[in-house]
């Protein structure tokens, strides 16, 4: 069996190629060279080995974007253990679900996040170790720095195969609980070759900053896979990517490539100090994904800062972007064309391939497709159709062969690049003491970006004064800061089918 580990091409080959002393990652606290990362990943592999975490078992990463993230990720992969990065903004109920669902043997967590998440880390049948990075000691949990200091950097990478799962990413599900998406060892290098190098043209002279966090598929490609494959440098930000924070990073580090999402680009353009804001003096290109980039945002950004935005489409299931505009060939308002190395097709409601101008569901085939979902056979069989992966997105292809986004095949939609389930938000709203029933749809804001709107039936005798703010705060605390409804409309009833299902399409139609 040929030996292939994702550390081989992305890390060890870069050290062997002469990049040993070059900065691989920079965060506000320290710089990590390629040789530093290689050594520390070997130390962390030894840590897992000493703790008894075995090959093919899982370790959960609840980590801010600092240099320790790639250390833990590559260290786990080097040991044959599957790193599972997860969102740092989830609720404790969701953390508990993922820890149990993955049967993780260990959790590695950033110290500043520990206090809020600590209740979700206790009383799991499989979880044996909690490792804390930074912050105050949290006995009886393990201190990352102490563990690392006790190990040498002489670990030999375990024997793994290119086609075996190397890491998982959790993708949001329509039921509200996420799905463990299994990716093989060879997929990161495939995305780096096809999109990072093939479309973005990333090389060793680039300095990259991604506002999208590394626990996302989009973010981990931007910050880790693409720059490492090229021998480039990645600038990390552990803070929330507000316009203030991002502008400061762009002006301080002068990256050549900036990776954002449409909501952030819009917020930065609407910043009150936009006329005096300094961007990177070396910025050559920006990328966008997560949701469709409105045409005017791309055009205004390029005019203001002189760097085009390459808008593309990717998914957790495909690991990164497979449909994209390209430098020198950008048509804002479209998603571009297939990334070379991927194939696309549109399937109409009759199951036939759609012709130009006809709306169909987008399917994609390519080397970075996930192996499937963990413990969700029915969902895997409906999503992964042989070599094809269903995206759930509706598109049409214009006469020039460009793809134009039309919406989701189901009721899911993205907010700030993150999938949102209407049913999850509805369930959260319905637990508010004043609410009888709720329905949620996607509505475009003034920038043309999708946000949740809620239609709410309140209980008898409830006064509407201050209710909207109360519901918004309730949802933020229940299911996530980004999922709260931006608009709340009090209604007397909701459109339903004969079997009692809410007809969201009728609510969407009423907003046009």
């Amino acid at each position: 069996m040929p030996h292939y580990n994702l550390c081989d091409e992305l890390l060890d080959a870069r050290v062997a190629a002469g990049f040993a002393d070059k900065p691989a990652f920079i965060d506000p606290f320290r710089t990590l060279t390629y040789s530093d990362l290689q050594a520390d990943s070997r130390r962390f592999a030894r840590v897992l080995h000493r703790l008894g975490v075995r090959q093919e078992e899982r370790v959960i990463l609840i980590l801010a974007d600092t240099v320790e993230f790639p250390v833990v990720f590559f260290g786990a992969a080097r040991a044959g253990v599957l790193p599972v990065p997860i969102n740092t903004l989830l609720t404790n109920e969701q953390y508990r679900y993922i820890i149990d669902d993955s049967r993780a043997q260990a959790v590695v967590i950033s110290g500043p996040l520990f206090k809020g998440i600590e209740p979700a880390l206790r009383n799991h049948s499989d979880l044996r170790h909690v490792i804390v990075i930074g912050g105050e000691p949290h006995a009886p949990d393990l201190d990352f720095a102490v563990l690392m200091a006790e190990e040498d950097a002489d670990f030999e990478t375990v024997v793994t195969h290119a086609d075996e799962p190397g890491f998982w990413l959790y993708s949001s599900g329509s039921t509200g609980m996420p799905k463990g998406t299994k990716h093989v060892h060879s997929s990161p290098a495939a995305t780096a070759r096809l999109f990072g190098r093939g479309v973005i043209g990333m090389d060793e002279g680039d300095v990259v900053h991604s506002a999208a966090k590394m626990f996302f598929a989009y973010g981990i490609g931007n910050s880790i896979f693409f720059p490492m494959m090229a021998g480039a440098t990645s600038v990390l930000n552990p803070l929330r990517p507000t316009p203030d924070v991002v502008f400061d990073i762009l002006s301080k580090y002068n990256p050549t490539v900036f990776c954002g999402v449409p909501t952030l680009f819009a917020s930065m353009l609407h910043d009150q100090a936009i006329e005096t804001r300094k961007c990177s003096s070396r910025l050559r290109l920006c990328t966008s994904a997560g949701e469709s980039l409105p045409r005017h945002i791309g055009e205004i950004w390029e005019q203001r800062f002189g760097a085009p935005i390459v808008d593309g489409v990717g998914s957790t299931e495909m690991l990164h972007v497979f449909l994209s505009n390209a430098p020198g060939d950008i048509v804002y308002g479209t998603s571009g064309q297939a990334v070379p190395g991927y194939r696309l097709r549109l399937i109409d409601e009759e199951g036939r391939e759609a012709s130009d101008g006809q709306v169909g569901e987008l399917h994609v085939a390519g080397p970075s497709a996930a192996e499937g979902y963990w413990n969700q056979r029915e969902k895997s069989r409906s999503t992964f159709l042989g070599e094809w992966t269903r995206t759930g997105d509706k598109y049409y292809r214009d006469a020039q062969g460009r793809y134009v986004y039309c919406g989701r095949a189901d009721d899911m939609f993205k907010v700030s690049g993150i999938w949102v389930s209407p049913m999850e938000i509805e369930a959260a709203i319905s637990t508010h003491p004043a609410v009888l029933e709720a329905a949620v749809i996607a509505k475009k804001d003034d920038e043309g970006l999708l946000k949740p709107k809620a239609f709410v039936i309140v209980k008898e005798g409830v006064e509407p004064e201050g209710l909207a703010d109360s519901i918004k705060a309730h949802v933020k605390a229940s299911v996530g800061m980004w999922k709260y409804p931006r608009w709340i409309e009090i209604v007397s009833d909701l459109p339903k089918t004969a079997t009692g299902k809410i007809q969201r399409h009728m609510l969407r139609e009423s907003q046009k």
Side-chain angles (χ1 to χ4, degrees), residues 129-149:
H129 307 289
V130 175
I131 302 171
V132 184
I133 297 178
E136 297 297 321
H138 301 283
D141 300 300
L142 301 170
D143 185 282
F144 177 80
V146 172
L147 292 173
M148 293 288 282

Side-chain angles (χ1 to χ4, degrees), residues 223-258:
S223 291
I224 296 184
F225 303 153
F226 301 170
M228 288 189 66
M229 189 73 166
T233 300
S234 183
V235 177
L236 307 180
N237 167 36
L239 304 176
R240 191 164 69 90
T242 63
D244 277 345
V245 169
V246 175
F247 272 124
D248 284 347
I249 291 171
L250 295 179
S251 61
K252 178 179 180 180
Y253 294 99
N254 286 314
T256 57
V257 178
F258 169 50

Side-chain angles (χ1 to χ4, degrees), residues 58 60 86 92-107 119-128 168 170 177-178 374-375:
R58 273 73 66 190
I60 295 287
I86 59 175
N92 279 352
E93 179 187 7
Q94 291 166 322
Y95 285 124
R96 291 194 64 83
Y97 171 82
I98 292 174
I99 292 170
D100 284 338
D101 180 66
S102 66
R103 301 178 192 149
Q105 297 291 307
V107 168
L121 303 177
R122 306 305 176 199
N123 302 317
H124 296 275
S125 58
D126 296 293
L127 182 61
R128 294 185 288 133
W168 294 2
Y170 267 82
M177 285 303 181
W374 170 252
N375 282 350

Side-chain angles (χ1 to χ4, degrees), residues 191-488:
T191 63
R193 283 192 295 269
L194 297 178
F195 185 75
R197 184 184 299 162
V199 175
I200 302 305
M202 199 169 289
D203 63 28
E204 63 188 80
D206 278 314
V207 175
V208 183
H209 174 60
S210 174
K213 298 299 185 181
M214 292 189 288
F215 54 73
F216 294 132
Y218 178 52
I220 199 170
N222 299 336
S223 291
I224 296 184
F225 303 153
F226 301 170
M228 288 189 66
M229 189 73 166
T233 300
S234 183
V235 177
L236 307 180
N237 167 36
L239 304 176
R240 191 164 69 90
T242 63
D244 277 345
V245 169
V246 175
F247 272 124
D248 284 347
I249 291 171
L250 295 179
S251 61
K252 178 179 180 180
Y253 294 99
N254 286 314
T256 57
V257 178
F258 169 50
C259 308
V261 296
T263 298
L264 177 60
F265 287 117
S267 297
M268 293 174 73
L269 288 172
H270 281 81
D271 186 87
Q272 292 184 346
I274 185 65
E275 295 304 323
T276 58
R277 286 292 196 187
K278 291 183 179 179
C279 197
S280 169
S281 61
R282 299 191 300 160
L283 191 64
R284 68 175 179 86
L285 194 67
C286 302
T287 71
S288 179
E291 56 189 326
S292 182
L293 180 74
R295 176 178 176 177
H296 68 283
I297 293 177
E299 291 174 342
I300 295 172
W301 177 275
E302 184 171 356
Q303 182 180 20
R304 173 67 180 82
F305 295 112
I309 300 176
V310 174
D311 185 32
V313 178
S315 69
T316 303
E317 289 75 10
M318 293 302 296
L319 189 55
H320 212 274
V321 171
F322 53 81
L323 165 63
S324 182
N325 286 273
D329 187 25
I330 295 173
V331 177
Y332 291 119
T334 79
S335 298
Q337 298 175 310
V339 171
Y342 293 91
R343 292 179 292 132
L344 304 175
R345 69 183 184 185
L346 295 176
I347 303 299
D348 66 18
E349 294 180 354
E350 310 301 324
R352 298 172 300 201
E353 289 207 34
S355 56
D356 287 356
Q358 181 184 5
V359 175
E361 182 183 4
L362 183 67
H363 292 192
V364 55
S368 61
E371 184 195 55
Y373 300 120
W374 170 252
N375 282 350
Q376 296 206 33
R377 184 168 182 254
E378 182 177 350
K379 184 63 177 175
S380 293
R381 292 177 70 181
S382 66
T383 300
F384 302 101
L385 311 175
E387 63 179 337
W388 293 97
T389 300
R390 295 179 59 186
T391 69
D393 291 318
K394 292 283 192 178
Y395 272 86
Y396 72 84
R397 186 177 53 248
D398 67 18
Q400 287 71 47
R402 297 180 183 276
Y403 288 77
V404 180
Y405 181 67
C406 300
R408 285 292 292 170
D410 52 24
D411 288 316
M412 295 282 287
F413 58 99
K414 286 186 175 181
V415 176
S416 299
I418 306 172
W419 283 120
V420 168
S421 166
M423 289 181 287
E424 182 183 21
I425 303 174
E426 289 163 6
I429 295 173
S430 296
T431 63
H432 188 284
V435 173
L436 184 63
E437 196 172 5
V440 171
I441 63 168
K443 178 183 176 181
K444 289 184 178 181
D445 64 13
D446 292 339
E447 295 296 333
L449 301 173
L450 295 178
K451 300 292 185 290
K453 175 174 181 176
F455 298 83
V456 174
I457 301 175
V458 300
K459 295 178 180 177
E460 187 174 353
V462 171
E463 292 295 331
E465 183 70 22
L467 181 58
D469 288 341
S470 178
I471 291 174
K472 291 176 182 179
H474 180 75
V475 174
K476 289 179 182 179
S478 300
V479 293
M481 293 292 292
W482 69 95
K483 298 180 182 179
Y484 77 95
R486 287 9 177 223
W487 308 271
I488 295 177

